[in-house]
Amino acid sequence: MTFFVKALGIGLITVASSLLIKQSRPEFSFFISLSGTFIVFFICVKEVESYLSSFLGLLSDAGFSAGYFSVALKAVGIGYITEFAADTAGDSGHSALASKITLAGRTLLFIIALPVIKDLLSLAVRLVD
């Protein structure tokens, strides 16, 4: 929960700083916003990392393969990073680039899902036979 308070505080300070700087030096406002966004993002990643490692430890202790979980985790990570990059591009006025970043993220999600789809199709074939 303390990570949330840190992220919220940094986010509010970043917004206030960006608005104050925007009046006198608008070219620096974007960089302040981008810096604050990266800081909040890395605070969240650090928090998730600790929970994730303990969860993966539980999976291995229980004897489960982390293969499908790994694919799901990659998909979530790709989704967050794609959204972050597309929002940053959109906020800076590059909406066409933002849509192409989103397309690239969706394409990558499809590519990493192909092994799971292949396994499901082979399971369906085995069940039919």
Side-chain angles (χ1 to χ4, degrees):
M1 190 66 157
T2 59
F3 87 94
F4 178 72
V5 174
K6 286 180 193 175
L8 184 66
I10 290 171
L12 291 174
I13 290 170
T14 300
V15 168
S17 301
S18 178
L19 289 174
L20 286 173
I21 295 294
K22 193 174 198 173
Q23 295 170 356
S24 61
R25 303 290 301 260
E27 65 272 9
F28 290 125
S29 177
F30 173 73
F31 294 111
I32 290 172
S33 296
L34 190 62
S35 300
T37 303
F38 274 119
I39 292 170
V40 170
F41 179 75
F42 286 118
I43 286 172
C44 293
V45 167
K46 184 179 178 192
E47 184 68 22
V48 168
E49 183 181 36
S50 64
Y51 288 106
L52 214 53
S53 63
S54 66
F55 185 74
L56 287 173
L58 286 173
L59 278 178
S60 67
D61 290 345
F64 289 109
S65 171
Y68 292 128
F69 181 72
S70 173
V71 170
L73 192 61
K74 286 178 187 177
V76 169
I78 290 168
Y80 281 135
I81 292 170
T82 300
E83 181 181 3
F84 173 75
D87 287 349
T88 302
D91 290 345
S92 66
H94 297 91
S95 60
L97 179 61
S99 66
K100 300 309 178 260
I101 290 171
T102 304
L103 176 65
R106 290 177 181 159
T107 304
L108 186 57
L109 285 174
F110 177 72
I111 290 169
I112 68 163
L114 282 176
V116 175
I117 294 169
K118 179 183 161 238
D119 289 348
L120 285 173
L121 288 175
S122 66
L123 176 65
V125 167
R126 280 185 280 156
L127 287 175
V128 170
D129 290 338

